[in-house]
Amino acid sequence: MQNFDYDLFVIGGGSGGVRAARMAAQRGARVALAEVAAMGGTCVNVGCIPKKLYSYAAHYAEAFEESHGFGWAGEAPVFNWEVLKANRAKEITRLNGIYQGLLAGAGVTIITGWATLVDGHTVKVDEKTFTAKNILIATGGTPTVPAVNGREHVLTSDQMFDLTPFPKRLLVVGGGYIACEFASIFNGLGAEVIQVHRGDKLLTGFDDDVRSFVAAEMAKTGVRLQFGAEVAAIGKASDGLTVELKGGASACTVDAVLYATGRVPNTNGLGLEAAGIKLNAKGAIEVNRHYQTSVPSVYALGDVTARLQLTPVALGEAMVVVDHLLGAAAGKKPRSMSYEFVPTAVFTHPNIGTVGFSEADARKEFGKVTVFSADFKALKHTLSGSSERTLMKLLVDDATDRVVGLHMVGPDAGEIVQGFAVAMKAGATKAVFDSTIGIHPTVAEEFVTMREPVKASAAAKT
C-alpha cells in the first residue's frame, strides 16, 4: 500500500474547501489545505459578506428619508465612503481569522501558496510537492470580461469594495444578480447609476413577473436601466471615462465602469490537463454524483463545477464528499445533494427571494399550474411616503396541489423565503399553506392568505 503525506489535500480555501477540510479532519483524516489568498474565498472576501454589508449601508439613505413620515425630523447624516470601507475591511479580517482558526483547531495543515496538480495523487505548491490519497479542487469562480475595446479601463465585482475615490457616476454592464445588486448598492450610496443590458429584461432564469417587477422598482429608486444596449468602446477622458454604446443608447461619461457579465470556473493554472481532468464545454470540471472527476482520486465541488453558484450549495456538496470518502458521521445517514427547491436571494433594492420553479418552467414541467399573486404597498409605506411595492407569487401544480414555486420582491425577501423553502422541500401543498395561520400584521402572511388565483390553469406551452 502506498504511503501518502495526507488522506485529503484540498485546493482552495473558500466556503466549500474549508468545510470539507474541517469536517474530514474532525473525522480523523490527515488533511492539508492550500490557499494563495485570504482565507474564506470569494464569499467572505469579495462576495456575499461584503456585498450584504454594503447593501445594508445603502438602505440607510432611504430609511432616513422614510423616517419623516413617522415623526422624525432633521437632516440625514452624511455618508462617508472611507469609513464604510475601513469597517468592512476590519470585519472581513476578523472572518479570515475565524476560518483560519477553525481549520487549525480541527488539525488541518494550512499551506500558503498556489497549488497545481502533478497527477491524481500529487500536488505542487510553489516548489514543494505533497502526496495525498484523494485531492479536492474547490477553487471557485472568477469574473470574466469580454474583449470590448477599452477593457483595460473596466472593473469587475472583485474591485468594487475598495474603490478610491467613490464613483459619483457608475456604469454597470450586465443583467444578472451581481450587476443588479451593485447597481442598487451604489445608487443607494449616492452614485448616479446607469445599468446597461443587452437583453430586454433583467435576471435571466428568474420568474418573468419578478424580472419585470424588480426592474420597475429599481428604476423608481433612480437606477437608469437601458435594455437592448451594449458597450461599443470605452475611452479615457479628462473628466472620467467616455462610454460609447450601441443599440440606440446614447454615449455617456462616467467615473467607473463595472462589468458584471458573468463568472467562469477558476481552473486556469491548476495543471488539470496534465493530470487528465476533463472539463466540459463551459470550462467547468466534470464530476459525477459523488463529485468525482475523470481521475477517480480527484474530486471537485462548488463554482468550479458550475452547477449552482451559491455558497450554501458548495457547503452541502462538501458534506457529500466527506461522507463519500470517510463514511457518514456516527448515527447519521450519508449526505446527498438535491438541486431542486434551492432557495436564493438577490440583494437588490428591494430584495428578491425565490425558491422552486418559475412560472414558465413550472408549466413545462407540470402542465397545468395555478398562479396566485399579490402586488401591494406594504404597511410601512402607508406612512413612509415611499412608492415601493411588494410582489408575492405562488405556483401550484394542479395534479398534486403541491406548491412548486414561491417568489417575492420586497424588503427582507430572503429572510421570509428561507422559512417557506423548508415547507416546499417537504412537499407542502396549497391546502397546507391555506391552513397555516399567518402572523399579523406582516408581509409574510400574504403567502398563507392567497385564495383567489390570478390566472386560470393552462396546459404546458410548447
Side-chain angles (χ1 to χ4, degrees):
M1 178 181 291
Q2 184 177 352
N3 291 320
F4 298 104
D5 297 326
Y6 298 100
D7 299 311
L8 178 65
F9 195 105
V10 179
I11 302 175
S15 299
V18 168
R19 173 64 63 87
R22 184 164 66 96
M23 293 297 105
Q26 288 180 351
R27 305 259 182 98
R30 297 170 303 149
V31 182
L33 182 146
E35 173 57 64
V36 70
M39 203 64 72
T42 296
C43 180
V44 169
N45 294 290
V46 290
C48 325
I49 302 301
K51 188 171 57 180
K52 186 71 179 290
L53 292 174
Y54 279 23
S55 181
Y56 284 135
H59 273 293
Y60 279 101
E62 63 191 33
F64 294 136
E65 184 65 28
E66 291 169 358
S67 71
H68 300 321
F70 292 89
W72 294 88
E75 295 294 323
V78 176
F79 173 63
N80 189 316
W81 173 238
E82 297 303 321
V83 170
L84 175 60
K85 290 195 299 181
N87 288 343
R88 181 219 85 237
K90 182 179 179 181
E91 171 59 12
I92 299 309
T93 299
R94 185 185 74 85
L95 293 176
N96 295 149
I98 289 176
Y99 272 71
Q100 194 95 6
L102 288 171
L103 290 170
V108 176
T109 299
I110 300 171
I111 301 169
T112 302
W114 185 268
T116 58
L117 289 176
V118 177
D119 57 41
H121 293 286
T122 311
V123 178
K124 187 176 182 180
V125 183
D126 296 328
E127 298 304 315
K128 294 183 178 180
T129 299
F130 305 91
T131 61
K133 182 178 180 181
N134 291 290
I135 298 168
L136 174 63
I137 302 169
T139 50
T142 188
T144 180
V145 177
V148 64
N149 186 11
R151 73 190 301 272
E152 67 273 15
H153 300 304
V154 311
L155 303 166
T156 69
S157 58
D158 288 357
Q159 301 161 291
M160 295 303 292
F161 301 102
D162 274 312
L163 295 180
T164 299
F166 179 82
K168 294 181 179 179
R169 301 165 299 174
L170 175 66
L171 177 72
V172 178
V173 183
Y177 73 93
I178 295 175
C180 292
E181 288 175 334
F182 276 110
S184 284
I185 287 168
F186 278 87
N187 176 70
L189 294 177
E192 295 178 10
V193 177
I194 302 171
Q195 185 175 354
V196 172
H197 179 44
R198 63 185 181 182
D200 59 355
K201 284 186 177 182
L202 301 174
L203 297 168
T204 300
F206 284 73
D207 186 87
D208 282 342
D209 286 342
V210 168
R211 298 171 71 191
S212 298
F213 191 89
V214 78
E217 291 299 309
M218 287 174 63
K220 279 197 280 186
T221 68
V223 177
R224 290 170 53 193
L225 296 168
Q226 296 190 4
F227 295 107
E230 295 184 69
V231 173
I234 303 166
K236 192 77 172 175
S238 59
D239 58 343
L241 297 173
T242 301
V243 184
E244 297 177 20
L245 299 172
K246 52 186 176 181
S250 302
C252 59
T253 300
V254 295
D255 300 308
V257 177
L258 165 63
Y259 254 84
T261 50
R263 294 175 65 85
V264 296
N266 189 18
T267 56
N268 288 338
L270 295 179
L272 301 184
E273 291 183 1
I277 305 294
K278 291 183 179 179
L279 306 180
N280 65 21
K282 296 182 178 180
I285 297 176
E286 291 186 350
V287 294
N288 63 17
R289 65 189 181 92
H290 299 300
Y291 305 98
Q292 198 170 29
T293 71
S294 54
V295 176
S297 58
V298 180
Y299 293 73
L301 58 78
D303 289 3
V304 77
T305 66
R307 289 189 172 186
L308 280 180
Q309 296 180 339
L310 298 169
T311 294
V313 169
L315 295 175
E317 292 173 346
M319 295 310 303
V320 174
V321 171
V322 171
D323 282 2
H324 174 70
L325 292 176
L326 302 172
K332 302 287 186 179
K333 294 182 179 180
R335 300 280 189 114
S336 61
M337 188 70 193
S338 170
Y339 297 94
E340 288 188 330
F341 299 104
V342 174
T344 190
V346 183
F347 296 107
T348 44
H349 295 191
N351 295 174
I352 299 169
T354 182
V355 58
F357 292 82
S358 67
E359 182 178 342
D361 288 342
R363 293 193 184 283
K364 291 177 183 177
E365 180 73 17
F366 304 104
K368 293 185 177 181
V369 173
T370 300
V371 180
F372 298 82
S373 183
D375 171 349
F376 58 93
K377 179 183 283 190
L379 176 63
K380 174 184 176 181
H381 296 313
T382 60
L383 296 187
S384 73
S386 171
S387 63
E388 181 182 275
R389 297 186 67 80
T390 294
L391 172 70
M392 304 177 83
K393 183 174 180 179
L394 291 176
L395 304 168
V396 180
D397 172 22
D398 284 10
T400 63
D401 195 45
R402 183 179 181 181
V403 178
V404 295
L406 183 147
H407 310 279
M408 176 179 174
V409 183
D412 299 315
E415 304 290 346
I416 292 170
V417 170
Q418 177 67 83
F420 283 103
V422 177
M424 291 178 61
K425 190 76 173 177
T429 61
K430 183 62 167 66
V432 170
F433 272 59
D434 292 345
S435 66
T436 300
I437 302 301
I439 301 173
H440 186 74
T442 66
V443 170
E445 69 176 319
E446 190 70 28
F447 276 130
V448 297
T449 57
M450 295 182 186
R451 296 293 184 266
E452 296 298 323
V454 295
K455 297 179 183 179
S457 299
K461 298 178 181 178
T462 58

